[in-house]
Amino acid sequence: MTTPPPFTRLPDLAARLLGGAVVWASDESFAEKENLIRPGAPQHSAATFGHKGQVYDGWETRRRRSPGSDHAIVRLGAPGIVHGVIVDTAWFTGNFPPEISVEGARIDGYPDAGGLNASADWFPLVPRRSVEGDTLNPFVVDDHRTVTHVRLTMHPDGGVARMRVHGIARPDPALRPPGAVDLAAIENGGHVTDCSNLFYSSPNNLLMPGFAHIMGDGWETARRRFGTSDWEAHNDWVEIRLGTSGKLTMLELDTTCFLHNAPGSARVRGRSGNDEWLELLPRTALQPDTRHRFPVAVDAVVTDLRLDIFPDGGMSRLRAWGTPAEGGGQ
């Protein structure tokens, strides 16, 4: 099994759940542009023909008979710095583009989608590169300017199943709502920096907006067996960099959808500016399928959180409500 590139540990800023959208495409004759950011792995059933031909779970354009290239523009769910892009050509074997490129742009306000292709100030994130069919095709991005939109170009045409845009959100402080905010939320710049186990699902799910509908919407670890040294001496944990440093007033630990595999208990600590870990929530029993809210009495600015669950299990969401520190950007 090929080891995923490190940038895939970062959240997908184009995720539909964050508010990402495919706002424009030059052509979608065979398969719709919206498929590019659908959650989950692309699906395929052979010999499933519709009026437009074989049905593909991706974006596919017509065969070009004249010079040019095809483009699709994705508005990110949250403005951010892109660290890597996945261009997934799953199931496209004879109709994938031989080359692709990806550009970014920072666009203020809510412009009409049709004019973005020509009017935006696009700059390269991934220069023109060859891709393989039925492959994930990962690309590291070195330009760390904040972008709100990305443009995928297929040279000259073809099909792409999914595009993932991994990075760290950098929201505009001027658009931050007044009062307490969730400082750990992905859309506010929060992201996972390390965790003990991601066997079943990504710990970044903890920081997504909305509520979990199934266990797969949260973070779940492998089992630790009762009575073994692994059970007695170890537990699972996740560390989170807040979008901005601040003072926390409320923690929410949500085990919704985890009925028989919720952690037995949990503890939360915060890292202060002098690199000291402060206990924000002592080890506390948790209930299955429950939104737990705990006031935080510690009057200190923290930059990171560490959630320890005992001994293992799953959690759907973690919220860290608080007030951003003055000039507290990460």
Side-chain angles (χ1 to χ4, degrees):
M1 179 183 295
T2 303
T3 303
F7 69 72
T8 58
R9 294 285 189 97
L10 296 173
D12 176 15
L13 299 180
R16 186 66 178 161
L17 188 56
L18 274 177
V22 187
V23 296
W24 180 86
S26 58
D27 183 90
E28 47 185 331
S29 296
F30 284 114
E32 295 81 6
K33 64 184 186 301
E34 287 80 11
N35 290 332
L36 275 174
I37 61 171
R38 286 184 63 186
Q43 304 299 310
H44 182 74
S45 297
T48 50
F49 289 93
H51 181 67
K52 297 182 179 181
Q54 170 66 39
V55 176
Y56 276 97
D57 184 9
W59 169 50
E60 186 183 6
T61 68
R62 72 184 71 197
R63 299 188 186 211
R64 282 191 164 271
R65 304 305 188 204
S66 59
S69 300
D70 284 318
H71 315 274
I73 296 176
V74 176
R75 185 193 66 229
L76 300 181
I81 297 171
V82 180
H83 288 253
V85 174
I86 298 287
V87 178
D88 186 356
T89 56
W91 306 109
F92 288 95
T93 55
N95 49 353
F96 62 93
E99 296 178 312
I100 63 90
S101 59
V102 181
E103 298 159 288
R106 181 169 186 168
I107 301 165
D108 295 327
Y110 309 96
D112 176 75
L116 288 175
N117 190 51
S119 63
D121 186 15
W122 298 102
F123 58 87
L125 296 176
V126 179
R128 187 165 174 167
R129 300 280 293 275
S130 298
V131 295
E132 299 295 330
D134 199 22
T135 302
L136 283 175
N137 296 295
F139 301 100
V140 173
V141 174
D142 295 320
D143 191 318
H144 288 171
R145 284 178 277 181
T146 298
V147 300
T148 60
H149 294 69
V150 295
R151 179 169 66 177
L152 170 66
T153 300
M154 298 191 295
H155 304 279
D157 56 32
V160 170
R162 297 285 190 271
M163 182 169 72
R164 307 302 189 205
V165 184
H166 294 276
I168 300 172
R170 287 291 180 263
D172 185 346
L175 301 179
R176 181 184 294 150
V181 297
D182 180 5
L183 300 179
I186 284 176
E187 60 187 337
N188 291 329
H191 61 281
V192 170
T193 55
D194 202 2
C195 76
S196 60
N197 186 280
L198 38 68
F199 186 85
Y200 285 109
S201 48
S202 170
N204 276 305
N205 289 345
L206 289 170
L207 314 181
M208 293 294 278
F211 301 109
H213 298 285
I214 59 173
M215 283 190 293
D217 290 341
W219 169 53
E220 184 182 4
T221 70
R223 294 192 184 204
R224 295 178 184 272
R225 299 301 183 181
F226 180 74
T228 64
S229 59
D230 189 44
W231 171 282
E232 300 294 341
H234 302 94
N235 65 279
D236 286 315
W237 51 269
V238 59
E239 292 185 357
I240 297 159
R241 173 66 53 85
L242 300 180
T244 179
S245 58
K247 292 184 179 182
L248 301 188
T249 56
M250 183 81 68
L251 289 168
E252 181 175 316
L253 306 183
D254 186 354
T255 59
T256 296
C257 297
F258 289 92
L259 301 177
H260 307 291
N261 50 356
S265 59
R267 176 182 65 199
V268 180
R269 289 176 286 172
R271 191 199 302 268
S272 67
N274 59 7
D275 212 30
E276 177 186 3
W277 285 99
L278 308 173
E279 188 168 72
L280 304 179
L281 176 70
R283 183 167 173 173
T284 302
L286 299 181
Q287 298 300 319
D289 199 25
T290 301
R291 292 176 66 194
H292 308 78
R293 287 185 171 177
F294 304 103
V296 175
V298 177
D299 186 26
V301 173
V302 296
T303 60
D304 299 73
L305 297 180
R306 178 180 168 111
L307 166 68
D308 284 276
I309 59 173
F310 300 93
D312 57 21
M315 188 172 294
S316 63
R317 296 290 186 269
L318 180 148
R319 307 290 188 214
W321 301 98
T323 305
E326 194 71 33
Q330 298 284 15

